């Protein structure tokens, strides 16, 4: 009898233990962009002095940090919120981002939402990266593909062992999703679903040919339609991986575990808050990306304020409200592998529901002795990174010019970027000769000028090909076309929200000889007050004016609407990218050089030693070129 009682008690205890809530560790990050090497230093917030911010990131340290978190709980999943490729440094981009995929395979990424940059080279190339195989150029394997440093053998590319997910991207020809809508992982008999979501606005920010034949459906509506299907499979624990995001409300100190203002904007809720506000109550966690911001809208959130040098930290339970008004945890891990989000999901096995979420954003700190030791003990990923860096170094290290001051991609109040002005000038030089297009002006989209711009450790600084590629990594080609004066005015008006379908403010970077003024308070399609074009020869160093300034727009009116001008943009813009649909009406279209080649030719032609360095303050560059008034 005693044995029966003991056996019964043991069975009861085991049943009770089996029914007890358990935790699953979810490790999330986003917007890696092929940053195999460290992107530099980073602090937990802006109150940390620059000298005290540690070096962060790098694929080998991401691998060590992920491994440390996985060791804390056998129930774990490593997930991403998109843009793991595209706009990558040369060490990955030169090899078609195969190095980034191989690194993620070794790190152990399992599910990843498709971001907008995954479409930079089109859906066919995305499928190749998923499934493997060499990149073909003119029908033959490209010599920069299939290096195989992280694949099965040299001369091969295995493809992604993780699954890209995109529930809302549908092929018009088949009516099916381009890639799987969700992935499922089982823990202690309980299934957890991870739904992948691409931002709905992708077609307006990538080259149209990259998304041809695809439809991008509403994010929240897509998730909600999947909930009954998942529940039919017995799934109650649901995580959304979405490539869309927000920013902490200014002013704040950008604490990586903050959620200041619940990510609201001056005009209301952010894009990510709008999505969450329409989500079914079944969704337990949202891991987001796209904005390259760090935030943690969860029970671990802190408001960090600095007033008169005194820093206060106020914890507060929070999230973003869903359709039912419940606060849902929403996280983002900055970008480039600087931060990992460490999330513990507590699941009740009886109901299969997530009953608690605890999230913490953690720096991938390259000075952490535990991580340093881990990398030394297992250098597998480091060997991969070093191998590709060695293959890229002959090209990356070539000096192309010298600069006397930083040229960041940060814009002033009017929207002008030092790096953007340089790029626009290079594109004008490449297309100014009559035989190459006869352009009188060039316009560069701001999103194509990548961080940090053209910067160095000390000045004068010898810019390298690798530096240039980091700032301009897309491999676009130049396009010269004819626009009327009215179209020029419309193009500049289309920089602003609400004009001709524009959904985001995108101030174009303009070339030497272009100058215009815009009003911040004016109505959409009526913001451009004046525009002048001064004939300027940028094929000589320094550039020189060759004629008097011509008024194209005065007091908001186009003086000669039908007069025509030859202008240069990149092929992304020429096909309506970033919402600049005015350019679709251009005529006399002529293709040109690659943007990176134009930039290198411009710098090496006039600003490479022994020539004088490039000085952004030189009078011949006629900056500022853009003026903002109230």
């Amino acid at each position: 009898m005693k044995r029966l009682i003991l056996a019964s008690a043991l069975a009861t205890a085991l049943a009770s233990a089996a029914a007890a809530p358990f935790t699953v560790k979810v490790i999330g990050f986003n917007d890696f962009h092929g940053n195999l090497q460290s992107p530099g230093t980073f602090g937990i917030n802006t109150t940390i002095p620059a000298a005290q911010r540690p070096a962060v990131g790098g694929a080998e340290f991401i691998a060590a940090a992920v491994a440390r978190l996985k060791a804390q709980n056998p129930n774990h999943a490593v997930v991403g919120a998109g843009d793991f490729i595209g706009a990558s440094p040369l060490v990955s981009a030169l090899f078609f981002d195969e190095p980034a995929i191989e690194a993620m395979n070794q790190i152990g990424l399992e599910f990843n939402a498709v971001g907008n940059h995954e479409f930079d080279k089109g859906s066919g190339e995305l499928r190749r990266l998923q499934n493997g195989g060499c990149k073909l150029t003119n029908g033959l394997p490209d010599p920069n593909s299939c290096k195989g440093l992280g694949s099965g053998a040299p001369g091969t590319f295995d493809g992604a062992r993780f699954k890209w997910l995109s529930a809302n991207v549908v092929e018009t020809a088949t009516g099916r999703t381009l890639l799987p809508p969700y992935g499922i992982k089982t823990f202690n008999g309980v299934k957890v679903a991870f739904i992948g979501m691409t931002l709905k606005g992708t077609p307006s920010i990538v080259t149209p040919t990259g998304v041809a034949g695809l439809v991008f459906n509403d994010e929240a509506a897509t998730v909600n339609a999947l909930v009954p299907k998942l529940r039919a499979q017995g799934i109650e624990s649901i995580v959304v991986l979405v490539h869309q995001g927000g920013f902490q409300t200014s002013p704040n100190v950008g604490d990586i575990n903050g959620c200041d203002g619940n990510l609201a904007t001056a005009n209301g809720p952010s894009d990510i808050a709008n999505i969450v506000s329409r989500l079914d109550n079944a969704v337990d966690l949202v891991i987001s990306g796209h904005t390259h911001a760090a935030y943690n809208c969860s029970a671990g959130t802190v408001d960090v304020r600095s007033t008169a040098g005194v820093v206060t930290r106020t914890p507060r339970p929070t999230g973003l409200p869903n359709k039912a008004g419940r606060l849902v945890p929403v996280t983002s891990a900055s970008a480039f592998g600087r931060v990992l989000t460490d999330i513990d999901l507590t699941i009740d096995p009886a109901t299969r529901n997530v009953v608690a979420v605890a999230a913490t954003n953690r720096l991938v700190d390259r000075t952490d002795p535990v991580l340093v030791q881990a990398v030394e003990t297992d250098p597998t990923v480091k060997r991969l990174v070093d191998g590709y860096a060695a293959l890229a170094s002959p090209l990356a290290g070539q000096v192309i010019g010298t600069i006397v001051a930083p040229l960041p991609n940060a814009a002033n109040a009017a929207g002008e970027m030092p790096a953007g002005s340089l790029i626009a000038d290079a594109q004008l030089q490449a297309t100014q000769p009559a035989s190459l297009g006869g352009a009188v002006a060039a316009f560069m989209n701001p999103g194509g000028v990548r961080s940090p711009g053209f910067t160095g450790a000390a000045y004068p600084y010898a810019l390298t090909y690798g530096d240039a590629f980091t700032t301009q990594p897309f491999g676009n080609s130049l396009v010269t076309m004819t626009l009327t004066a009215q179209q020029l005015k419309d193009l500049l008006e289309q920089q602003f929200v609400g004009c001709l379908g524009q959904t985001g403010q995108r101030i174009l970077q303009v070339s030497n000889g272009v100058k215009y003024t815009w009003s911040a308070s004016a109505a959409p399609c009526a913001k451009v007050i004046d525009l002048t074009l001064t004939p300027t020869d940028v094929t000589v160093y320094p550039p020189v004016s060759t004629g008097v300034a011509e008024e194209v727009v005065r007091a908001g009116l186009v003086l000669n609407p039908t007069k025509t001008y030859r202008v240069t943009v990149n092929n992304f813009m020429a096909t309506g990218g970033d919402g600049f649909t005015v350019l679709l009406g251009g005529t006399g279209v002529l293709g040109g050089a690659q943007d990176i080649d134009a930039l290198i030719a411009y710098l090496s032609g006039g600003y490479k030693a022994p020539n004088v360095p490039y000085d952004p303050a030189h009078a011949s560059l006629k900056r500022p070129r853009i003026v903002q008034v109230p």
Side-chain angles (χ1 to χ4, degrees), residues 65 85 98 116 134 151 155 165-166 196 198 253 277 303 311 325 392 404 516 553 558 594-596 603 629:
I85 60 171
E98 293 169 13
N116 55 286
C134 298
S151 290
L165 307 173
S166 188
T198 306
V253 298
S277 71
D303 280 337
V311 178
V404 299
Y516 73 93
V553 178
V558 183
Q594 286 241 310
D595 52 10
I596 188 70
L603 286 168
V629 296

mmCIF file of all heavy atoms in Angstrom, residues 65 85 98 116 134 151 155 165-166 196 198 253 277 303 311 325 392 404 516 553 558 594-596 603 629:
data_model
loop_
_atom_site.group_PDB
_atom_site.id
_atom_site.type_symbol
_atom_site.label_atom_id
_atom_site.label_comp_id
_atom_site.label_asym_id
_atom_site.label_seq_id
_atom_site.Cartn_x
_atom_site.Cartn_y
_atom_site.Cartn_z
ATOM 1 N N ALA A 65 27.618 36.013 -28.035
ATOM 2 C CA ALA A 65 26.543 36.521 -27.181
ATOM 3 C C ALA A 65 25.298 35.669 -27.312
ATOM 4 O O ALA A 65 24.611 35.387 -26.312
ATOM 5 C CB ALA A 65 26.241 37.976 -27.540
ATOM 6 N N ILE A 85 20.345 41.605 -44.976
ATOM 7 C CA ILE A 85 21.208 41.805 -46.135
ATOM 8 C C ILE A 85 20.808 43.116 -46.797
ATOM 9 O O ILE A 85 19.811 43.742 -46.447
ATOM 10 C CB ILE A 85 21.090 40.649 -47.144
ATOM 11 C CG1 ILE A 85 19.641 40.519 -47.642
ATOM 12 C CG2 ILE A 85 21.570 39.343 -46.536
ATOM 13 C CD1 ILE A 85 19.453 39.562 -48.794
ATOM 14 N N GLU A 98 26.424 36.678 -49.563
ATOM 15 C CA GLU A 98 26.561 35.281 -49.142
ATOM 16 C C GLU A 98 27.308 35.177 -47.805
ATOM 17 O O GLU A 98 26.947 34.334 -46.961
ATOM 18 C CB GLU A 98 27.264 34.485 -50.235
ATOM 19 C CG GLU A 98 26.428 34.342 -51.503
ATOM 20 C CD GLU A 98 27.212 33.780 -52.685
ATOM 21 O OE1 GLU A 98 28.329 33.265 -52.466
ATOM 22 O OE2 GLU A 98 26.709 33.864 -53.831
ATOM 23 N N ASN A 116 12.636 45.252 -46.342
ATOM 24 C CA ASN A 116 12.619 45.867 -47.670
ATOM 25 C C ASN A 116 13.927 45.649 -48.418
ATOM 26 O O ASN A 116 13.946 45.464 -49.645
ATOM 27 C CB ASN A 116 12.303 47.356 -47.576
ATOM 28 C CG ASN A 116 13.227 48.123 -46.650
ATOM 29 O OD1 ASN A 116 13.111 48.010 -45.435
ATOM 30 N ND2 ASN A 116 14.137 48.909 -47.201
ATOM 31 N N CYS A 134 25.044 29.246 -56.895
ATOM 32 C CA CYS A 134 25.909 30.363 -57.259
ATOM 33 C C CYS A 134 25.145 31.453 -57.999
ATOM 34 O O CYS A 134 24.190 31.174 -58.726
ATOM 35 C CB CYS A 134 27.062 29.877 -58.134
ATOM 36 S SG CYS A 134 28.143 28.671 -57.325
ATOM 37 N N SER A 151 30.310 27.671 -46.279
ATOM 38 C CA SER A 151 29.430 26.644 -46.850
ATOM 39 C C SER A 151 30.139 25.300 -46.857
ATOM 40 O O SER A 151 31.237 25.158 -46.313
ATOM 41 C CB SER A 151 28.999 27.065 -48.270
ATOM 42 O OG SER A 151 28.119 28.164 -48.223
ATOM 43 N N GLY A 155 33.670 26.902 -53.685
ATOM 44 C CA GLY A 155 32.939 26.810 -54.937
ATOM 45 C C GLY A 155 31.468 26.518 -54.769
ATOM 46 O O GLY A 155 30.770 26.246 -55.755
ATOM 47 N N LEU A 165 10.627 34.620 -43.615
ATOM 48 C CA LEU A 165 9.172 34.554 -43.499
ATOM 49 C C LEU A 165 8.562 35.874 -43.984
ATOM 50 O O LEU A 165 9.069 36.948 -43.660
ATOM 51 C CB LEU A 165 8.753 34.322 -42.048
ATOM 52 C CG LEU A 165 9.388 33.125 -41.325
ATOM 53 C CD1 LEU A 165 9.005 33.147 -39.847
ATOM 54 C CD2 LEU A 165 8.956 31.811 -41.973
ATOM 55 N N SER A 166 7.485 35.773 -44.732
ATOM 56 C CA SER A 166 6.801 36.986 -45.184
ATOM 57 C C SER A 166 5.350 36.661 -45.501
ATOM 58 O O SER A 166 5.009 36.265 -46.614
ATOM 59 C CB SER A 166 7.503 37.572 -46.409
ATOM 60 O OG SER A 166 6.958 38.834 -46.717
ATOM 61 N N GLY A 196 6.198 36.164 -39.874
ATOM 62 C CA GLY A 196 7.093 37.147 -40.485
ATOM 63 C C GLY A 196 6.317 38.148 -41.317
ATOM 64 O O GLY A 196 5.401 37.781 -42.066
ATOM 65 N N THR A 198 6.671 41.838 -43.746
ATOM 66 C CA THR A 198 7.423 42.878 -44.438
ATOM 67 C C THR A 198 6.608 44.170 -44.417
ATOM 68 O O THR A 198 5.384 44.131 -44.544
ATOM 69 C CB THR A 198 7.680 42.470 -45.899
ATOM 70 O OG1 THR A 198 8.300 41.185 -45.920
ATOM 71 C CG2 THR A 198 8.564 43.476 -46.617
ATOM 72 N N VAL A 253 17.098 60.351 -24.119
ATOM 73 C CA VAL A 253 18.521 60.014 -24.211
ATOM 74 C C VAL A 253 18.749 58.695 -24.943
ATOM 75 O O VAL A 253 19.826 58.141 -24.903
ATOM 76 C CB VAL A 253 19.172 59.981 -22.806
ATOM 77 C CG1 VAL A 253 19.096 61.344 -22.155
ATOM 78 C CG2 VAL A 253 18.524 58.917 -21.925
ATOM 79 N N SER A 277 -1.908 48.540 -32.815
ATOM 80 C CA SER A 277 -3.249 48.955 -32.373
ATOM 81 C C SER A 277 -4.362 48.199 -33.074
ATOM 82 O O SER A 277 -5.507 48.215 -32.625
ATOM 83 C CB SER A 277 -3.437 50.458 -32.603
ATOM 84 O OG SER A 277 -3.560 50.757 -33.982
ATOM 85 N N ASP A 303 12.023 54.928 -18.300
ATOM 86 C CA ASP A 303 12.133 56.289 -18.821
ATOM 87 C C ASP A 303 13.443 56.851 -18.299
ATOM 88 O O ASP A 303 13.642 56.938 -17.083
ATOM 89 C CB ASP A 303 10.975 57.156 -18.320
ATOM 90 C CG ASP A 303 9.699 56.930 -19.113
ATOM 91 O OD1 ASP A 303 9.792 56.470 -20.263
ATOM 92 O OD2 ASP A 303 8.617 57.210 -18.574
ATOM 93 N N VAL A 311 20.864 62.354 -14.186
ATOM 94 C CA VAL A 311 20.157 61.300 -14.910
ATOM 95 C C VAL A 311 19.219 60.566 -13.969
ATOM 96 O O VAL A 311 19.620 60.140 -12.883
ATOM 97 C CB VAL A 311 21.157 60.299 -15.535
ATOM 98 C CG1 VAL A 311 20.415 59.179 -16.249
ATOM 99 C CG2 VAL A 311 22.090 61.019 -16.496
ATOM 100 N N GLY A 325 -7.031 46.869 -26.511
ATOM 101 C CA GLY A 325 -6.560 47.793 -25.491
ATOM 102 C C GLY A 325 -5.499 47.211 -24.580
ATOM 103 O O GLY A 325 -4.958 47.928 -23.729
ATOM 104 N N ALA A 392 38.388 40.702 -49.718
ATOM 105 C CA ALA A 392 37.924 42.027 -50.140
ATOM 106 C C ALA A 392 38.979 43.112 -49.993
ATOM 107 O O ALA A 392 38.865 44.178 -50.609
ATOM 108 C CB ALA A 392 36.689 42.412 -49.326
ATOM 109 N N VAL A 404 39.183 66.849 -45.738
ATOM 110 C CA VAL A 404 39.757 67.608 -44.630
ATOM 111 C C VAL A 404 38.826 67.692 -43.427
ATOM 112 O O VAL A 404 39.211 68.199 -42.376
ATOM 113 C CB VAL A 404 40.135 69.041 -45.066
ATOM 114 C CG1 VAL A 404 41.161 69.003 -46.171
ATOM 115 C CG2 VAL A 404 38.904 69.835 -45.481
ATOM 116 N N TYR A 516 17.620 76.100 -53.896
ATOM 117 C CA TYR A 516 16.189 76.359 -53.756
ATOM 118 C C TYR A 516 15.832 76.594 -52.288
ATOM 119 O O TYR A 516 16.592 76.250 -51.379
ATOM 120 C CB TYR A 516 15.358 75.220 -54.350
ATOM 121 C CG TYR A 516 15.347 73.935 -53.559
ATOM 122 C CD1 TYR A 516 14.349 73.666 -52.617
ATOM 123 C CD2 TYR A 516 16.320 72.961 -53.773
ATOM 124 C CE1 TYR A 516 14.331 72.475 -51.903
ATOM 125 C CE2 TYR A 516 16.316 71.776 -53.069
ATOM 126 C CZ TYR A 516 15.313 71.537 -52.128
ATOM 127 O OH TYR A 516 15.306 70.366 -51.415
ATOM 128 N N VAL A 553 11.945 78.970 -60.586
ATOM 129 C CA VAL A 553 10.752 79.197 -59.766
ATOM 130 C C VAL A 553 10.976 80.493 -58.988
ATOM 131 O O VAL A 553 12.033 80.690 -58.389
ATOM 132 C CB VAL A 553 10.495 78.031 -58.792
ATOM 133 C CG1 VAL A 553 9.276 78.319 -57.907
ATOM 134 C CG2 VAL A 553 10.304 76.721 -59.554
ATOM 135 N N VAL A 558 6.315 78.797 -61.403
ATOM 136 C CA VAL A 558 7.262 78.367 -62.434
ATOM 137 C C VAL A 558 7.245 79.411 -63.544
ATOM 138 O O VAL A 558 6.191 79.689 -64.136
ATOM 139 C CB VAL A 558 6.878 76.981 -62.980
ATOM 140 C CG1 VAL A 558 7.915 76.525 -64.009
ATOM 141 C CG2 VAL A 558 6.785 75.960 -61.853
ATOM 142 N N GLN A 594 27.848 53.239 -63.101
ATOM 143 C CA GLN A 594 27.426 52.888 -61.742
ATOM 144 C C GLN A 594 27.724 54.056 -60.811
ATOM 145 O O GLN A 594 28.717 54.782 -60.984
ATOM 146 C CB GLN A 594 28.172 51.648 -61.268
ATOM 147 C CG GLN A 594 27.709 50.356 -61.905
ATOM 148 C CD GLN A 594 27.163 49.367 -60.889
ATOM 149 O OE1 GLN A 594 27.795 49.099 -59.887
ATOM 150 N NE2 GLN A 594 26.005 48.818 -61.161
ATOM 151 N N ASP A 595 26.864 54.240 -59.810
ATOM 152 C CA ASP A 595 27.034 55.367 -58.898
ATOM 153 C C ASP A 595 28.372 55.329 -58.163
ATOM 154 O O ASP A 595 29.046 56.355 -58.017
ATOM 155 C CB ASP A 595 25.865 55.455 -57.914
ATOM 156 C CG ASP A 595 25.582 54.149 -57.177
ATOM 157 O OD1 ASP A 595 26.380 53.193 -57.263
ATOM 158 O OD2 ASP A 595 24.533 54.087 -56.492
ATOM 159 N N ILE A 596 28.803 54.158 -57.736
ATOM 160 C CA ILE A 596 30.062 54.061 -56.996
ATOM 161 C C ILE A 596 31.240 54.405 -57.908
ATOM 162 O O ILE A 596 32.216 55.040 -57.474
ATOM 163 C CB ILE A 596 30.231 52.654 -56.364
ATOM 164 C CG1 ILE A 596 31.443 52.609 -55.436
ATOM 165 C CG2 ILE A 596 30.301 51.582 -57.417
ATOM 166 C CD1 ILE A 596 31.264 53.390 -54.169
ATOM 167 N N LEU A 603 36.327 61.749 -56.933
ATOM 168 C CA LEU A 603 37.297 61.963 -55.858
ATOM 169 C C LEU A 603 38.733 61.771 -56.343
ATOM 170 O O LEU A 603 39.607 62.604 -56.071
ATOM 171 C CB LEU A 603 36.991 61.014 -54.698
ATOM 172 C CG LEU A 603 35.763 61.362 -53.859
ATOM 173 C CD1 LEU A 603 35.394 60.216 -52.931
ATOM 174 C CD2 LEU A 603 36.006 62.638 -53.055
ATOM 175 N N VAL A 629 12.774 77.934 -44.743
ATOM 176 C CA VAL A 629 12.198 79.081 -44.045
ATOM 177 C C VAL A 629 10.927 78.610 -43.333
ATOM 178 O O VAL A 629 10.407 77.534 -43.639
ATOM 179 C CB VAL A 629 11.869 80.223 -45.027
ATOM 180 C CG1 VAL A 629 13.140 80.762 -45.673
ATOM 181 C CG2 VAL A 629 10.870 79.776 -46.085
#
